[in-house]
Amino acid sequence: MTEAVMLAPTRYVTVKLASQLIGLTVRAIESKIARGTWIEGRQFRRQDGNIYVDLRGVEQWVEKGTV
């Protein structure tokens, strides 16, 4: 019998993984960042040339209904 494995993502994930987890395309996420809809330090962070999406920040953004 195979044992089930449960995985929980970390708070910060790549744009590609965030896309799969929250149901937005990579392009949609990149657009939200470029237009300033998502704020650096709230919904995403930059580190070593990469963008990491803050899943808690995105969750709060969705709950507030912020445009």
Side-chain angles (χ1 to χ4, degrees):
M1 186 165 121
T2 305
E3 187 174 330
V5 177
M6 298 286 292
L7 296 177
T10 63
R11 179 175 175 176
Y12 299 98
V13 296
T14 63
V15 171
K16 183 177 178 181
L17 182 55
S19 171
Q20 296 171 354
L21 292 170
I22 63 178
L24 295 174
T25 65
V26 169
R27 186 172 178 180
I29 292 171
E30 290 170 344
S31 292
K32 289 185 184 319
I33 291 169
R35 288 184 311 209
T37 303
W38 284 4
I39 309 297
E40 188 164 1
R42 289 188 187 171
Q43 288 83 28
F44 74 97
R45 295 184 184 268
R46 296 178 199 269
Q47 183 67 34
D48 294 332
N50 297 304
I51 295 175
Y52 295 93
V53 176
D54 181 344
L55 296 177
R56 288 186 203 162
V58 171
E59 184 177 281
Q60 291 172 350
W61 174 79
V62 169
E63 289 173 350
K64 290 181 180 179
T66 307
V67 176

